[in-house]
Structure formats: structure tokens, C-alpha cells
Amino acid sequence: MTKKILVTGGAGFLGSHLCERLLAENHEVLCVDNYFTGNKNNILHLLDNPRFELMRHDVTFPLYVEVDEIYNLACPASPIHYQHDPVQTTKTSVHGAINMLGLAKRVGAKILQASTSEVYGDPSVHPQVESYWGNVNPIGIRSCYDEGKRCAETLFFDYFRQHQLKIKVMRIFNTYGPRMHPDDGRVVSNFIVQALQNKPITIYGDGSQTRSFCYVDDLIEGMVRLMGTGDEVTGPINIGNPNEFTIKGLAEQVVSMTNSKSEIEFLELPSDDPKQRKPDIQLAKEIIGWEPQIELSKGLEQTIRYFSKIVDQA
Ligand code: NAD
Ligand code: UDP
């Protein structure tokens, strides 16, 4: 059945892939974005589709539209962007959640929140299970993002308990792929762009910190499956790839796959940078029958191909 679906942050990296996927399933898609980190180029190829509509709007302001489902992705996701205007970042998560939950309540829509592994902070439980409450600094430079997302989760569960809203809270772990912003400072895009340009690969700290990288197609599959679950499923549910790598290991793999002449440069580790991160995905396996299919080398290949087309190479 064709549904009317709102995607906030739809012109961003994940949002654009989600819009594409929902259109391919014959739904009507309303993409809302203020273009803070997103870009019209990400969705240019969708503009001719009569089932696709684009609206410039900031989710910190109320929105009055009629939809059946809401995917709430609007929020800058990379540390340099969310730290650029930290007050706006918290507003986007908190006021954005209030506005989108209010909309869901008014029209009776199902609503999914793009939450994050950052709610676990610098975790002392490894791998991270959904029942772990996290280790988050409330006053640090990452707090605008971490605490904003934690408060958004609180709001989702209070709207669920108080107003019986149909909610889905998804905790996304580091995801990469084509249409990441080349300058957004996230590790996969940074390393690929630096390697393609034979510039130094910037490792923060000694590179022993770990992350687990999920390819965008796997992530979107998990997101759509979660939205498709019955009302009894609220989450939170981890979606990510449990294969864990050190940042130094990632740097070496990117240099080798791009045949780059780049040297590795070690820079200061930013404060509160989590030392380790890996999702426990048992719940995702049980509840939505999901696990990632695309290995890091395969996903990196696609991502390197994308960046080789859009960045100047030395
Ligand atoms: P992105 O920066 O590419 O996309 C975010 C989009 O939201 C952009 O298009 C931006 O312009 C838009 N936006 C920002 N503030 C807005 C506002 N006030 N009103 C309307 N639009 C606004 O990042 P992404 O990687 O695509 O992330 C999408 C969502 O997924 C974010 O909520 C992020 O926190 C979450 N997430 C992503 C990852 C990841 O690894 N990519 C991990 C965890 C969580
Ligand atoms: N990182 C790095 N060099 C870079 C960008 C990031 O060493 O050029 C490190 C960063 O310090 C962190 C990891 O890579 O330990 C992942 O960073 P990213 O910003 O991609 O995501 P997050 O820290 O939010 O997981």
C-alpha cells in the first residue's frame, strides 16, 4: 500500500538513501531539510519523480503536513558540524523531536527516531547492548549531540507512555558510504579524501581507538524493517556492523585500497572521543531478522569509487 512518508534530514547522507529506497517501494515521500549539512545534489536525481516533494524547513519550528509515517533524521551528525553551533544542535534534537512527535500525535503517524551509539558515550560495557545506560559527559564538547539525542529518546518514550504514540527508536552506529560530505570530518570520508589526494592521513590520538563501520545499504535495510514492525516494537534497537576495527587499521586499509602515497600523521585526540565502539545486534537479529551483509572492504570500494568522482586528485 502506498504511504505518505516524511523524511526529515532527507537531503543528507542517510536521508537521501532512505528517500530513494522509499520511492522505489512506490511510496510518496516528503523530504524536509534546512540544508545545514545536507545538499540538494544528494536528491537531484529524485526531483523529477512525481511522488517526491522537497521542502526547505527547519525542524526546530512546527510543521503542519498530513503523513502516515515519519523518519526523523534531521541533525548534523559529524563532530565538526554538530560542534559548529552546539546550541542549534541541541535545539534540533530536542525541539525537532517535540515538533515531529507533536505532528505524529496530531495525524496518528508512526515515527522513527535516528538515535545514535553516542547515547552510550565512552562506553564501559563492550560490545554495547541496548540495556546499557551509557557513560556520557553532560558538559563536554560532544554533549550537545549526545545529550540532545538522549533527551530525544526520553521524549519518544514519554510520548509513547503518555500518548500511546507508535514509536521506533533506532541507535545507529558509524555508517559510511557514497554521499557522505567530503568535508564533514568523519573518519571514513576524511581518510578516503586524504588518500585520493595523497595528503597526510590524520589519525587523532594513537589510532588504537575502535569503531565498527556499517555500509549505508545495510543500514537503510535495517531502518525500513524497523519501521515495518508492529506497534509493540518500540526499540531502542542497535543497528550497526559488529566488525570492529582500530582507526589505525582503517587508515592502512584505505591507503592500500587507493594505492596512495599518503603518510600517516598523528594529531591530538579530541576530548571525550570514545575509546571503543561495537554494537551488540542480537535484538536486531531476533526482532527484525536483520544483520549486515556488506563487508568493510566491499563498502569501502563503493565509497572510494564515489569520492574519486567528486574530489580533485593530485
Ligand atoms: P547528515 O549531516 O548528512 O544529514 C543530516 C541532515 O539533517 C542534513 O541534510 C541537514 O541539512 C539536516 N538538518 C540538520 N539540522 C536540521 C534542522 N534543524 N532542520 C532540518 N534539517 C536539518 O548526517 P547523516 O549521517 O545522514 O545522519 C542522519 C541522522 O542519522 C542524524 O540524525 C544522525 O544523528 C543519525 N546518525 C548517523 C550516523 C552515521 O554514522 N551516519 C550515526 C548515528 C546517528
Ligand atoms: N578520526 C581520526 N581522524 C580523522 C577523523 C576522525 O582519527 O580525520 C577518529 C576520531 O577521533 C574517532 C574516530 O576516528 O576516534 C571516528 O570519528 P568520527 O568523527 O568518524 O565518528 P565518531 O567519533 O562520532 O564515532
Side-chain angles (χ1 to χ4, degrees):
M1 198 188 67
T2 300
K3 292 180 209 140
K4 292 196 183 89
I5 304 180
L6 166 63
V7 178
T8 75
F13 160 49
L14 296 180
S16 62
H17 286 274
L18 176 64
C19 290
E20 211 170 75
R21 163 72 184 257
L22 297 172
L23 287 170
E25 290 179 359
N26 278 324
H27 298 300
E28 287 179 28
V29 175
L30 172 60
C31 167
V32 160
D33 208 295
N34 71 348
Y35 307 123
F36 175 52
T37 50
N39 195 312
K40 259 195 195 162
N41 284 332
N42 287 339
I43 37 143
L44 214 53
H45 60 297
L46 306 177
L47 291 178
D48 284 342
N49 190 323
R51 284 181 284 104
F52 183 72
E53 196 179 339
L54 178 61
M55 183 193 284
R56 177 191 282 268
H57 175 79
D58 182 327
V59 295
T60 61
F61 297 97
L63 178 66
Y64 296 93
V65 291
E66 310 306 314
V67 289
D68 305 308
E69 288 180 355
I70 303 168
Y71 287 86
N72 189 35
L73 273 62
C75 186
S78 91
I80 57 166
H81 281 135
Y82 68 65
Q83 288 163 19
H84 170 75
D85 185 348
V87 173
Q88 175 67 13
T89 299
T90 303
K91 281 188 186 169
T92 294
S93 278
V94 177
H95 294 192
I98 291 171
N99 289 328
M100 291 310 115
L101 287 160
L103 170 62
K105 181 172 164 231
R106 184 176 66 80
V107 300
K110 236 194 229 189
I111 180 165
L112 180 145
Q113 168 68 356
S115 190
T116 168
S117 51
E118 284 283 320
V119 300
Y120 302 120
D122 188 5
S124 49
V125 168
H126 194 74
Q128 290 78 58
V129 277
E130 290 85 348
S131 53
Y132 175 50
W133 290 352
N135 174 34
V136 176
N137 176 0
I139 57 166
I141 56 170
R142 295 174 86 103
S143 314
C144 59
Y145 183 72
D146 300 8
E147 297 289 20
K149 289 283 189 179
R150 285 168 67 96
C151 183
E153 287 200 10
T154 307
L155 284 160
F156 268 67
F157 276 86
D158 282 333
Y159 268 79
F160 167 69
R161 284 183 287 256
Q162 201 175 331
H163 300 297
Q164 293 73 51
L165 242 63
K166 298 169 210 161
I167 62 157
K168 313 280 171 197
V169 174
M170 168 174 180
R171 291 185 179 154
I172 303 172
F173 283 65
N174 297 64
T175 301
Y176 69 99
R179 300 199 203 120
M180 292 183 91
H181 197 297
D183 300 322
D184 85 353
R186 282 186 269 190
V187 69
V188 174
S189 45
N190 262 15
F191 285 1
I192 293 178
V193 172
Q194 290 162 346
L196 289 173
Q197 298 182 330
N198 292 310
K199 289 186 176 155
I201 305 282
T202 54
I203 290 187
Y204 305 154
D206 62 6
S208 63
Q209 71 270 37
T210 68
R211 294 293 185 274
S212 309
F213 300 102
C214 184
Y215 188 65
V216 60
D217 291 357
D218 278 335
L219 193 283
I220 297 297
E221 178 63 33
M223 191 180 271
V224 170
R225 282 194 195 198
L226 178 58
M227 185 61 115
T229 52
D231 296 351
E232 72 290 354
V233 177
T234 58
I237 188 160
N238 291 337
I239 301 286
N241 190 318
N243 289 337
E244 186 182 9
F245 297 85
T246 63
I247 294 304
K248 187 150 177 284
L250 174 73
E252 287 162 355
Q253 185 161 355
V254 169
V255 169
S256 142
M257 287 181 71
T258 48
N259 293 316
S260 172
K261 296 194 211 56
S262 294
E263 307 271 332
I264 285 180
E265 179 179 31
F266 291 93
L267 301 176
E268 200 182 331
L269 188 69
S271 62
D272 296 338
D273 198 288
K275 285 182 271 313
Q276 51 181 0
R277 185 180 290 152
K278 167 182 165 136
D280 180 309
I281 58 163
Q282 198 51 39
L283 266 186
K285 283 185 188 163
E286 283 166 18
I287 295 175
I288 56 173
W290 177 89
E291 63 183 311
Q293 305 294 322
I294 299 155
E295 288 190 8
L296 184 64
S297 55
K298 264 264 155 314
L300 283 179
E301 226 173 82
Q302 301 290 335
T303 315
I304 291 168
R305 192 168 307 142
Y306 169 78
F307 279 112
S308 1
K309 287 192 206 129
I310 64 157
V311 298
D312 293 331
Q313 291 170 54

